[in-house]
Structures are given as C-alpha cells and as structure tokens.
C-alpha cells in the first residue's frame, strides 16, 4: 500500500489541537507553582516539608499511572491506524486499573508511610487512596483522547485536574491552611474527570473505545509501561521520597528550600514534556523512519532549553526564590543551575523512552528507566550535604538510563524495525 501525504487540513487541526494540550500542560505546571507558593507562605517550614513530601508521593503515583495513559495512547492510535481494535473496552480497562492501583497503594502504606512521611497524618493517606482510585480513569481518558487525536478533550482532562486542584486549595487556605486540608485539596483534582464525563459526549466516547490488543497482551504491555513510568515518576516528581528515605529525619525536616528548588527547576522542562508524552507517542507511532530525525531535533531543543534555563537559574534564581517565598528559602545559584541541567538530562531520558514505547520496544523502555532509578538510589548513598547528593543523583542517574535507551534504539535501527513501522503506516 503506498504512502499518502497527510492532508493539510488534518495537519493544521493536529497542530492546533496539540497546542491546546501544550497550553493545558503549562496551566498544570503553573498551578503546581501556585500551590507550592501557597504552602511556603501559609505553613511553617517543617509543615511545608511534610506537605511537599506528600505532594511528591501523590505526583509520583500519578506518574506511575501515566504509564497507563501512554500505553492507552499507543494502543488507541495503533487501533485507529490499522483499523483493528480487538481489545477490551477502555472503561473496563480503567476500572481494573483503578481497583488494582488502590489495593496496591493500601497494601504498601505500612512500608513507606513512616519512612517517607515520618508518621504523617492519616488524612493524607486516605486522600492518597481516593486520588489513586480517581486517577486511573483520568489516565485512561487522557490516553484515549490523545490516541484518537481528540486533542481538545485531552487538554480538558489535563486542565480540569489542575483547575479543581487549584480551586480546592484556595478554598482550604481561605478557611484554614493545614497540611491535611491542602493535601486533600490536591487529591481532589483526580476526580475532575467525573465533571467532564458528565458534560462531554466525546469524553464519554473515549471510555467506549477499544484497545488494539487482547486483554492479556494489553496487560503485559501496560505492566511494562507502569514499571518504566514508576521509575520515571520517582526521578521526575517523586525524588523527595528517595531523599527522605535516605536522610536522617532531623536533617530532612529543614529540606523545604531544596525540595522547592528541585520542583521549580524541573517543572518548566519536565511538567509540559510529561503531559505531552501522549502527543509525542501518538505522533511517533506514525513517524516511521522519520522517528530518528524527529528524536534528534527534540533532544537538541531540550538541550538548548536546559542550558539557557541553567544560566538564568544561576543569575536570577536565588533572588527570585527569596522574592517569591521569603528569606527562609535561600538556595545557592550554582545549586539551581545544576538542578536545571539535571532536569534536561531527565527530559532527554523521557524522550528516548517515548521513542522506545512508540516502537513497542517495551523491554528497552523499562530497562532505561530502571537503570536510571537504581543509579539514583546508589548515588544518594554517597556522603555529603543534601544539596550535593541531590545534584549528583539527579544529574548522573538519568544519563545512565539515556545510554541504555540509545543502545536499544540503535539496535532497533540496525534491525530495520523502524522501516517496518513505516511500512505499517503506509
């Protein structure tokens, strides 16, 4: 079957739609900044540390479940491309994902609660469980909409979660700013999809779509995506979990400035990129042999953003953080610059992982992220200050995973599988 050019109207429609997803992703990043700012101003530093650590746990679990969104995107896009959907309805997939995720989180609570939250509030644990149950459906909806190139619906799912999270946080702060209340407010965003499903027929249609593969195959691929995204989530948004688990509680109690710096330097590069992974996978599935050139261009863009961001962080970062959060949140410019460069490395790892997943190279996809996570844990054992250990682990660990992905992608290119994907798309 010969390859046909994509109609210009479809290209323009995809560009406009993808821009709406980008705007929703930026809005989500902005909300994260606002919530962190509110925590810094409204809570004492030790309580702010607890809230920021809880948010790291919450967003790490969300990050794990984003593996569901990515695999759903790949599956739905492949089903549309091949005009073949032999898998289960996505509402069934969402229900199973939510049930399994909730049970898993409940089972693991005794193992991480004391070490990570240092005995945090029962309300925070309950909020996490409810959020996980809701976010399973959120992930499937976002993935399905992206897979069908229903970009405006995908954007609505992303922006809806952030908007509910912000409004609930503001409502709590107006009444009484507490760690438990603000934690619950952030968790409520995971239920925003209910409002969208009630008001949008196309969002409901997303849940009625079918996957491209039988349930067993889909489960295997989704499990691989969850493992990879689990490692990714810990490195991208859940790093404070590892830092808390490898640091004396007395030293960690004053870590709020560093945690804030890590979030602020990573958010501009990684939050939009992670939210746009669905867009990336959807396009990469269709890219064929153009995938390699597309990846190189994207990596060059990430490198440029990281370098410019690092310079800006060094020059104006310390002043800006103290202006926004007060004198108690002083962080050295060199630390901010190194953290920003480290974010670029994690972004590069995210892109190579998206390429591996688009090629259904799930083994290489998982291997890169797992190697990065193991390297991160090992590097955190090196003696030194909190800042030095954080910069070392966040800077070098992603590069180890990136190297694994590059080796895997190079092997796939030599084997001719990229060309085979192009032929399937023709």
């Amino acid at each position: 079957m010969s390859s046909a050019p994509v109609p210009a109207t479809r290209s323009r429609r995809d560009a406009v739609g993808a821009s709406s997803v980008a705007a929703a992703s930026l809005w989500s990043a902005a909300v994260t900044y606002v919530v962190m700012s509110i925590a810094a101003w409204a809570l004492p530093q030790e309580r702010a540390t607890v809230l920021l650590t809880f948010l790291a746990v919450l967003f790490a679990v969300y990050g794990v479940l984003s593996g569901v969104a990515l695999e759903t995107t790949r599956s739905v896009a492949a089903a549309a491309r091949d005009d073949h959907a032999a898998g289960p309805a996505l509402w069934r997939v969402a229900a199973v994902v939510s049930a399994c995720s909730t049970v898993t989180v409940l089972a693991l609570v005794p193992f991480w609660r004391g070490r990570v939250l240092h005995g945090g509030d029962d309300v925070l644990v309950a909020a996490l469980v409810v959020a996980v149950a809701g976010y399973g459906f959120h992930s499937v909806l976002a993935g399905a909409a992206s897979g069908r190139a229903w970009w405006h619906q995908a954007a609505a799912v992303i922006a809806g979660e952030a908007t509910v999270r912000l409004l609930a946080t503001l409502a709590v702060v107006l009444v009484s700013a507490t760690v438990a209340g603000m934690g619950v407010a952030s968790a409520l965003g995971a239920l925003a999809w209910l409002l969208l499903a009630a008001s949008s027929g196309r969002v409901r249609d997303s849940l009625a779509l079918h996957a491209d593969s039988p349930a067993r195959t889909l489960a295997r691929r989704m499990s691989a995506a969850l493992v990879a995204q689990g490692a990714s989530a810990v490195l991208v948004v859940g790093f404070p979990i590892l830092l808390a688990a490898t640091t004396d509680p007395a030293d960690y109690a004053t870590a709020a400035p560093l945690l804030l710096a890590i979030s602020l330097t990573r958010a501009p590069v990684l939050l939009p990129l992670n939210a746009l992974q669905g867009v990336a996978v959807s396009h990469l599935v269709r890219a064929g042999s153009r995938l390699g050139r597309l990846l190189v261009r994207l990596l060059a863009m990430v490198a440029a953003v990281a370098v410019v961001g690092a310079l800006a962080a060094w020059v104006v970062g310390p002043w800006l953080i103290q202006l926004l959060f007060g004198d108690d949140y002083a962080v050295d410019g060199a630390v901010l610059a190194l953290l920003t460069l480290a974010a670029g490395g994690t972004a590069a790892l995210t892109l190579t992982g998206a390429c591996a997943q688009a090629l259904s190279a799930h083994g290489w996809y998982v291997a890169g992220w797992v190697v990065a996570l193991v390297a991160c844990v090992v590097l955190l054992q090196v003696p030194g200050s909190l800042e030095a250990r954080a910069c070392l682990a966040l800077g070098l660990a992603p590069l180890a995973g990136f190297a694994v992905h590059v080796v895997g992608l190079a092997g796939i290119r030599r084997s001719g599988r990229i060309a085979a994907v192009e032929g399937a798309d023709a």
Side-chain angles (χ1 to χ4, degrees):
M1 189 173 180
S2 62
S3 177
V6 177
T9 53
R10 177 181 166 185
S11 297
R12 286 195 295 271
R13 186 170 63 250
D14 281 354
V16 172
S19 296
S20 70
V21 177
S25 305
L26 292 174
W27 169 242
S28 179
V31 168
T32 301
Y33 276 126
V34 171
V35 171
M36 289 190 299
S37 301
I38 292 172
W41 282 107
L43 298 171
Q45 192 175 97
E46 289 189 7
R47 300 304 293 162
T49 299
V50 174
L51 179 63
L52 291 173
T53 304
F54 167 75
L55 293 178
V57 174
L58 179 68
F59 291 129
V61 175
Y62 286 0
V64 174
L65 290 175
S66 70
V68 172
L70 290 178
E71 181 55 28
T72 303
T73 296
R74 188 212 61 77
S75 180
V76 171
R81 180 194 65 198
D82 301 334
D83 194 23
H84 179 72
L90 294 185
W91 69 266
R92 295 180 183 274
V93 174
V96 171
V97 167
S98 290
C100 292
S101 301
T102 302
V103 170
T104 301
V105 168
L106 281 171
L108 293 177
V109 164
F111 298 98
W112 60 262
R113 177 183 171 182
R115 190 63 178 158
V116 174
L117 290 181
H118 298 151
D121 200 308
D122 288 339
V123 175
L124 295 180
V125 176
L128 177 66
V129 171
V130 172
V132 168
Y135 207 79
F137 278 86
H138 169 101
S139 298
V140 171
L141 275 171
S146 295
R148 284 301 296 266
W150 293 345
W151 304 122
H152 295 301
Q153 282 66 41
V157 173
I158 295 168
E161 185 278 329
T163 301
V164 170
R165 177 159 39 103
L166 175 61
L167 293 176
T169 298
L170 292 174
V172 166
V173 171
L174 287 174
V175 176
S176 177
T178 64
V179 171
M182 295 179 70
V184 169
S186 287
L188 285 176
L191 303 178
W193 67 269
L194 288 168
L195 299 175
L196 295 170
S199 60
S200 170
R202 182 160 276 190
V203 170
R204 292 192 297 273
D205 290 344
S206 297
L207 289 175
L209 295 172
H210 286 251
D212 69 325
S213 306
R216 182 172 295 181
T217 301
L218 181 67
R220 185 178 69 250
R221 290 173 173 173
M222 205 163 273
S223 297
L226 286 170
V227 171
Q229 286 301 111
S232 165
V234 173
L235 289 175
V236 174
V237 293
F239 182 75
I241 299 170
L242 294 180
L243 203 57
T246 56
T247 304
D248 182 83
D251 293 334
Y252 188 76
T254 58
L258 177 62
L259 300 184
L260 197 62
I262 291 171
S263 297
L264 291 174
T265 53
R266 294 167 83 71
V269 178
L270 292 171
L271 285 181
L273 179 60
N274 284 325
L276 285 168
Q277 279 187 88
V279 177
V281 171
S282 182
H283 282 291
L284 290 170
V285 165
R286 302 174 174 90
S289 61
R290 303 187 307 277
L291 188 148
R293 295 190 295 274
L294 176 59
L295 176 61
V296 170
R297 289 198 298 271
L298 290 173
L299 289 174
M301 290 172 58
V302 164
V305 170
V307 170
V308 172
L311 292 174
W314 193 320
V315 175
V316 303
W319 167 80
L320 186 60
I321 285 183
Q322 287 185 281
L323 175 68
L324 294 175
F325 305 106
D327 293 338
D328 290 340
Y329 285 80
V331 182
D332 187 75
V335 172
L336 294 173
L338 289 172
L339 290 174
T340 305
L341 287 174
T346 306
L349 176 60
T350 301
L351 286 172
T352 52
C355 270
Q357 190 174 33
L359 293 168
S360 295
H362 292 85
W364 285 108
Y365 173 50
V366 172
W369 280 109
V370 170
V371 166
L373 178 58
V374 171
C376 184
V377 173
V378 170
L379 290 167
L380 279 174
Q381 311 305 316
V382 175
S385 65
L386 272 175
E387 291 81 0
R389 291 164 55 223
C391 290
L392 185 67
L394 290 173
L396 297 184
L399 299 182
F402 176 80
V404 171
H405 280 165
V406 168
V407 170
L409 291 172
I412 292 170
R413 184 180 181 84
R414 286 194 299 271
S415 71
R417 281 177 57 192
I418 291 179
V421 171
E422 183 186 40
D425 191 35

